[in-house]
Each structure stands twice: as C-alpha cells, then as structure tokens.
C-alpha cells in the first residue's frame, strides 16, 4: 500500500531513522572498539589512533600466555556433551507429562517448574558439596551435570507435544507403533522447530556460563573459555588493553560468528522460546 | 491393569529428569535451609544445631544489608530503562525500515556475549584517564574520574552496562508480542486519524502488557543471578559499593569458607526469588495459559 505521506510524518520518520541508527551505532560500538583494539598496539588503542598500523601480535601474545585453544576445546566438550543429554532426558519427561496421567503428575510438573526460578547457580554452595561427594569436581561432566535436567526444555517440549493432534497418534498405533516408537517416529520429528529453538538458546547459555564452571574447575584441562578469560582479564594480572581485547575476541568469536551466520534462526529461536 | 501400566510408564519416562532435578534443585534447596540452622563443622568441633543464630548474624551484618540494597538499586536502575529501550527497539525493528537486518543485529548482539567478555570491554571505557568515557568527557572539559573506584559512581556504571547487555534480549520478546497484534488495528487507527503516539499508548502498549510482565519477571530474576561481571570489574568493591547478594554468597562460601552463613544468605536469595514467582503466579495466571 503506497500513498504519499504528509510532509510532517515524513520528517518524523527520517528523524526516527536517524535515531534508530544512532542507537544501533551506540549498541554495536563497544564490540567494534574491542575488535579494533585487538588488532592494534596498546599505545595506539589508548590514544584511539584510528589508522594506526594493524598487528596480529596481540593474538600471538594471548596464545603464548594462556591456553585459549584448550579452553575453547573444553567449552566445546561441555556443550556437546550437555546438549544431547538435555534433549534426551527432557524429551522422555515431556512425553510423560504430555501423554500420561501418572500418579502425582500434576505436582511433579509444578516441582519441575520450580527450576525455572531456582537455577543451579543459585544453589552453588550445596551443589558444590554434592559434586565433591560424587568426586566430580574439576571434570567436564561436573560442569554440565546440574543442567542436564532442564525445566525449560521439558516445558517447551511438553507444550509442543500437547499440540500434536491425537489422530496422528492413533494412526501410528494402528500401524503397530509402540510407546517409544510413537515418540521417535511421530512426536520428535514434529517437534523439530522446538528442538532447534531450545538447542540454540541452550548453546548460547552454556557457551557463556561462568559462575558454576568457575567454582567447579581448577585446571587447564577443564576450564572453559569464560573462566579462562575471567582469569586472564582479572585486573591483578596486569592489564594490557589490546591483549585483553584479543583474548575477549577469541573467546566470543565462535558463538558470535555462528550468530552472525545464522542470525535469523537465533533470533527466531529466542523468540519462540520466549512465547511459550 | 492398563491404568497401572500408565502410572509405571509415566514415572519411568520421567525418572531420569526427576532424579537430576531432585539432586540439583530440590534437595539442595532443603539442605541449604537445614545447613543454615547448624554451625560449620570442623575437625576439632562437629557441627551443632544453632537455630536462627546465622539469621541473627545476618540481621546485624552491615554488608548483608548493603548487598540487599545494592540489589534493589540494580533492579530499579536496570529494569524500567531496559524495558523502555527494548520497546523502542522492537518498534523500530518491527517496521519496514531501511537496514532492518543490521539494526536488529546491532541491538541483539550484546545478548550473545558472555557477561565476562562484556565486563572486559567495558572495563576499558570506565578506566580513569585512559578510558574512553574520560576521553570523551575531557572534550567537554570534564575532569577525569575513577568510575569503578568511587562508591557513588560504581553502581550506576554497572547499571548502564547491564542495560546495554539486556535491552536487546528483551527486544526479542516485544518483537514477538508486536507480531501477534493484528495489522488491521493499525489501519483502523489510521483511518480514525489517530496519531502514532496515540496508537502506541491506546493499542500497542496495553496489548503488550503480558509481554511486559513476562520481561519484568525475567529482568528481576536476572538482577539477582547476574554477577559474573563483578569478578572482572570490581570484586564487589570499593567498600562493597557494587557487591550483590549472589557474589557475597560466593565470597562467603568459597573465600571465607563459611558454609553456614552462606546457606543463610542463600535462603534469603531463595525468598526473594519466591516472591518473584508468586508475583508471576498472581499477575500472570490469567494471561499465560498452561494447557
């Protein structure tokens, strides 16, 4: 529909455009600045000499001072072990809540939802004790363990499963599908968008998680990127802006690049997860 | 017979999740409360029941009150502003505007960064003299200031950073909310000669109220959970001016090794979260439908 806008309104919208872009520039600026600083010598970064010579020394320095590659590998191991387990455990539970009226299922569901409020990092004191008793302090598995059962994932999948029409279930049963066959052949394929949405949200959450991994890990072999970066950037370690910028950039790069490439999916996933 | 197998199958499917949830959510919640009623055990002295002694210590601990008040200021400082910004961003991005993809990306990107990286970047801005903020202010003749080292400016500095981090995240929920509003309403409003301003306040804002409540609760919870940046920026200082309850719990348990006191602090935090949960329950039960 295109009709000519009144002069006043057009003025308004070009002002709005300027405002929108100013806000965007302000929002993206800190990251751009870190990006710029990472490729320049600290003395230029501090003086903000925009066209100072580019250098990769900062990245070399970071890699020689701290094992960021190893940290990245650890983070990758945490998320790649955690996410499949989250999906399996939550799928089974969500299926139980969506399709079975089992003894105490209503109360059980409310107890599941409690975890939406009381996330494991709130209970660090006690959960650290539990992990110590299990002998899992300073292990990759220990970083992920408290998050395997995710109330959020159970809730999302239950909502999705409930919306799947009963006729499909009946048809599958006629074809001779058992309980798990039904779940695997009918429910899981139909819930793919929900799985994708949760996966992206979970991935970005655990890639960025800090407090619990900080408490659990105390060696290079387990420490994820965030904790490594936290130690590296601590003010007492002698702050060199450009080197810290380089380290920061290295830590956020994998997720940030994934986000920039699959921006639409990420945004839609967060949106979808929020509506439910 | 069929009914019984329903119960058993249901519980079998739920069991893995149930065990893990009990182990890392319900059991620790209860255990934390119990621990707060006992003294710390040591090699020479076993733990003994002390009743509400930890809570009495809490009440007379100025740091405890300080972190509680800080948490309140943080919530007050971040929530309304980030909600307002989130609405503005969503309204911008929801329209057919030039470079919509870029704008959305710019607003949303901070959400994808870990808080610890955000802190590293912002540490740069707030540094006295060499920091960008001081540099920018120097142009206007404002004197250098140690933003994170001054008890009066440290919390506002952290509030600004938190708003930057969160507004884009909340924008997503408003964007989702805006897309559920029928475009016919806008046409009708246009035909009636209603101004954009009027349309927003009379139509969009009221229809977005459930989103606002949802975002509000989320933001409230986040204001208690987000403490990562303190590890880099301030360690809670100076003089606890930027300390928050979860960071204080961490310090108490893992630096001062006082589990009993940390447990009492955790119980207070749990109560704060429970209030949020009840708030959500009372305000939202009619809006959000659990089928």
């Amino acid at each position: 529909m295109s009709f000519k806008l009144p002069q006043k309104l057009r003025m308004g919208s070009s002002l709005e455009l300027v405002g929108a872009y100013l806000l965007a520039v302000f929002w993206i600026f800190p990251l751009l600045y870190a990006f710029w600083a990472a490729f320049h010598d600290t003395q230029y970064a501090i003086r903000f000499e925009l066209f100072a010579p580019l250098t990769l020394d900062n990245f070399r320095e970071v890699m020689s001072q701290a094992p960021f590659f190893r940290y990245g590998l650890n983070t990758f191991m945490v998320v790649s072990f955690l996410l499949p387990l989250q999906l399996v455990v939550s799928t089974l539970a969500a299926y139980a809540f969506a399709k079975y009226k089992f003894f105490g299922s209503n109360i059980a569901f409310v107890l599941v939802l409690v975890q939406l409020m009381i996330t494991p990092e709130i209970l660090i004191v006690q959960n650290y004790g539990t992990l110590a008793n299990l002998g899992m302090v300073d292990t990759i598995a220990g970083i992920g363990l408290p998050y395997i059962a995710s109330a959020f994932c159970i809730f999302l999948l239950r909502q999705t499963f409930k919306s799947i029409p009963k006729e499909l279930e009946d048809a599958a049963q006629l074809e001779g599908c058992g309980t798990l066959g039904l779940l695997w052949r009918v429910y899981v394929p139909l819930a793919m968008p929900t799985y994708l949405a949760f996966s992206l949200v979970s991935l970005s959450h655990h890639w960025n998680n800090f407090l619990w991994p900080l408490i659990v890990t105390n060696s290079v072999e387990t420490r994820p990127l965030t904790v490594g970066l936290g130690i590296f950037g601590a003010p007492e370690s002698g702050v060199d802006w450009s080197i810290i910028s380089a380290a920061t950039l290295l830590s956020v790069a994998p997720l940030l690049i994934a986000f920039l490439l699959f921006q639409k999916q990420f945004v839609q996933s967060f949106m979808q997860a929020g509506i439910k | 017979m069929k009914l019984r197998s329903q119960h058993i199958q249901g519980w079998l499917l739920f069991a893995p999740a149930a065990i893990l949830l009990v182990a890392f959510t319900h059991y620790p919640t209860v255990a934390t409360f119990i621990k707060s009623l006992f003294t710390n055990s040591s090699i020479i002295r076993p733990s003994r029941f002390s009743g509400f002694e930890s809570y009495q210590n809490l009440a007379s601990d100025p740091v405890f009150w300080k972190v509680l008040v800080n948490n309140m200021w943080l919530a007050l400082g971040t929530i309304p502003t980030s909600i307002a910004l989130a609405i503005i961003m969503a309204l911008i991005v929801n329209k057919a505007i030039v470079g919509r993809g870029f704008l959305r990306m710019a607003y949303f990107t901070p959400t994808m960064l870990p808080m610890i990286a955000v802190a590293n970047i912002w540490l740069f801005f707030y540094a006295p003299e060499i920091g960008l903020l001081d540099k920018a202010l120097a142009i206007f003749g404002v004197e250098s200031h140690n933003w994170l080292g001054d008890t009066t400016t440290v919390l506002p500095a952290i509030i600004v950073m938190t708003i930057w981090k969160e507004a884009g995240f909340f924008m997503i929920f408003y964007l989702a909310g805006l897309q559920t509003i029928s475009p016919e309403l806008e046409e009708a409003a246009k035909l009636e000669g209603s101004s954009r301003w009027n349309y927003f306040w009379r139509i969009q804002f009221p229809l977005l109220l459930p989103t606002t409540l949802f975002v509000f609760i989320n933001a409230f919870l986040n204001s208690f959970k987000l403490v990562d940046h303190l590890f880099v920026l301030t360690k809670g200082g100076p003089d606890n001016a930027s300390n928050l309850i979860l960071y204080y719990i961490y310090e108490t348990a893992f630096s001062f090794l006082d589990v009993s006191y940390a447990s009492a602090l955790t119980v207070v935090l749990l109560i704060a979260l429970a209030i949020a949960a009840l708030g959500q329950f009372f305000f939202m039960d009619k809006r959000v439908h659990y089928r």
Side-chain angles (χ1 to χ4, degrees):
Chain A
M1 204 174 32
S2 73
F3 49 88
K4 237 183 159 188
L5 287 166
Q7 192 65 34
K8 203 176 128 205
L9 242 169
R10 257 193 296 172
M11 260 305 280
S13 58
S14 66
L15 259 179
E16 263 170 42
L17 205 66
V18 171
Y21 276 91
L22 273 179
L23 191 63
V25 166
F26 184 71
W27 238 244
I28 202 81
F29 177 73
L31 198 63
L32 283 183
Y33 182 52
F35 189 82
W36 175 85
F39 289 98
H40 291 84
D41 196 84
T42 300
Q43 51 165 330
Y44 299 121
I46 290 171
R47 278 187 273 134
F48 203 55
E49 278 183 37
L50 201 53
F51 299 107
L54 290 164
T55 173
L56 286 173
D57 284 351
N58 300 318
F59 290 96
R60 273 185 219 114
E61 197 59 31
V62 169
M63 293 310 259
S64 70
Q65 280 183 22
F68 268 88
F69 185 74
R70 177 73 217 207
Y71 294 158
L73 190 67
N74 293 336
T75 297
F76 181 75
M77 285 199 287
V78 170
V79 295
S80 56
F81 129 88
L82 178 60
L83 184 60
L85 283 175
Q86 278 184 324
L87 295 179
V88 171
V89 168
S90 308
T91 299
L92 296 177
Y95 189 53
F97 283 120
K99 286 295 143 186
Y100 291 87
K101 200 89 192 90
F102 58 92
F103 180 73
S105 55
N106 285 333
I107 297 172
F109 189 61
V110 172
L111 284 174
V112 168
L113 293 183
V114 166
Q115 202 217 28
L116 290 177
M117 293 283 159
I118 308 173
T119 47
E121 54 266 22
I122 303 285
L123 299 159
I124 42 173
V125 181
Q126 196 58 43
N127 280 342
Y128 181 79
T130 305
L131 212 67
N133 287 335
L134 292 171
M136 288 174 76
V137 171
D138 203 23
T139 60
I140 299 279
I143 302 175
L145 189 63
Y147 296 96
I148 291 173
S150 159
F152 184 49
C153 189
I154 295 174
F155 178 69
L156 282 182
L157 284 173
R158 173 185 173 269
Q159 298 297 92
T160 311
F161 288 166
K162 282 209 151 194
S163 68
I164 290 170
K166 185 102 174 62
E167 291 78 44
L168 281 173
E169 191 186 330
D170 296 338
Q173 265 163 352
L174 276 177
E175 301 277 324
C177 255
T179 307
L180 289 178
L182 185 68
L183 175 61
W184 185 242
R185 299 240 167 78
V186 179
Y187 281 75
V188 171
L190 286 173
M192 271 309 162
T194 308
Y195 282 107
L196 180 70
F198 175 78
S199 298
L200 292 182
V201 173
S202 167
L203 212 66
S204 32
H205 182 244
H206 289 286
W207 194 280
N208 293 342
N209 203 8
F210 175 75
L211 186 58
W212 176 248
L214 172 77
I215 292 161
V216 173
T217 60
N218 48 37
S219 67
V220 169
E221 282 71 39
T222 55
R223 199 173 283 150
L225 277 172
T226 45
V227 179
L229 181 62
I231 294 169
F232 192 79
E236 59 266 25
S237 69
V239 181
D240 183 312
W241 294 126
S242 288
I243 291 176
I244 286 185
S245 290
T248 305
L249 222 58
L250 278 178
S251 311
V252 302
L255 186 65
L256 205 61
I257 290 169
F259 164 66
L260 292 176
L261 287 178
F262 304 105
Q263 206 200 123
K264 233 187 179 133
Q265 283 86 342
F266 268 93
V267 170
Q268 269 165 5
S269 294
F270 276 82
M271 230 180 207
Q272 208 194 350
I275 300 167
K276 288 265 159 83
Chain B
M1 190 58 211
K2 184 154 187 291
L3 242 143
R4 231 180 98 188
S5 82
Q6 274 248 338
H7 290 307
I8 294 171
Q9 280 192 13
W11 270 106
L12 278 177
L13 289 166
F14 178 45
I19 292 165
L20 285 162
L21 281 169
V22 168
F24 291 102
T25 302
H26 304 105
Y27 159 73
T29 304
V30 176
T32 298
F33 181 67
I34 294 171
K35 278 225 170 117
S36 73
L37 303 177
F38 286 83
T39 60
N40 292 312
S41 65
S42 64
I43 303 162
I44 40 166
R45 248 195 329 198
S47 167
R48 66 175 172 79
F49 183 74
S50 60
F52 287 93
E53 205 181 287
S54 290
Y55 294 92
Q56 280 163 6
N57 294 340
L58 215 95
S60 57
D61 174 6
V63 179
F64 166 69
W65 291 110
K66 181 85 196 160
V67 297
L68 215 57
V69 169
N70 284 348
N71 260 113
M72 283 303 136
W73 279 119
L74 183 74
L76 270 174
T78 54
I79 298 173
T81 315
S82 47
I83 285 182
L85 274 169
I87 294 178
I88 292 171
M89 288 171 173
L91 286 172
I92 292 171
V93 173
N94 194 43
K95 281 196 314 186
I97 189 170
V98 191
R100 188 161 75 160
F102 163 76
L103 291 171
R104 191 181 56 188
M105 189 259 311
Y107 299 151
F108 189 71
T109 300
T111 304
M112 300 306 293
L113 304 176
M115 204 61 184
I116 206 87
V118 169
N120 271 339
I121 296 172
W122 282 72
L123 191 59
F124 226 163
F125 290 143
Y126 288 139
E129 286 175 48
I130 54 167
L132 271 193
L133 185 60
D134 266 5
K135 286 240 164 108
L137 288 175
I139 298 169
F140 303 101
V142 180
E143 264 179 47
S144 162
H145 185 81
N146 189 355
W147 299 95
L148 296 172
D150 180 336
T151 50
T152 54
T153 52
V154 64
L155 206 53
I158 285 176
I159 286 171
V160 170
M161 187 190 80
T162 310
I163 292 169
W164 178 76
K165 163 89 176 142
E166 289 200 312
F169 179 53
F170 299 148
M171 167 193 79
I172 292 295
F173 302 116
Y174 281 106
L175 205 50
L178 280 174
Q179 289 178 358
T180 62
I181 297 176
S182 155
E184 280 152 30
L185 283 173
E186 189 170 0
E187 273 167 41
K190 260 195 198 136
L191 283 177
E192 296 278 324
S194 164
S195 69
R196 280 272 306 280
W197 184 251
N198 216 358
Y199 174 66
F200 174 74
W201 283 111
R202 294 282 176 85
I203 307 280
Q204 286 175 314
F205 189 72
L207 285 174
L208 288 172
L209 220 52
T211 311
T212 302
L213 276 167
F214 173 80
V215 169
F216 180 84
I217 301 279
N218 252 305
F220 185 77
L221 290 176
N222 274 351
S223 73
F224 283 99
K225 284 177 188 166
L226 275 187
V227 295
D228 303 356
H229 49 290
L230 297 184
F231 287 87
V232 164
L233 288 180
T234 63
K235 310 262 178 218
D239 194 20
N240 289 307
S242 67
N243 207 345
L244 299 171
I245 187 156
L246 187 55
Y247 191 80
Y248 191 40
I249 290 172
Y250 167 83
E251 279 186 315
T252 309
F254 296 97
S255 300
F256 315 144
L257 303 173
D258 188 345
V259 173
S260 168
Y261 196 58
S263 299
L265 284 167
T266 306
V267 170
V268 174
L269 177 54
L270 288 171
I271 290 169
L273 297 180
I275 292 170
L278 285 177
Q280 181 167 36
F281 185 75
F282 281 117
F283 288 122
M284 292 188 77
D285 59 344
K286 291 198 187 68
R287 306 272 187 177
V288 177
H289 36 278
Y290 301 119
R291 279 166 297 176

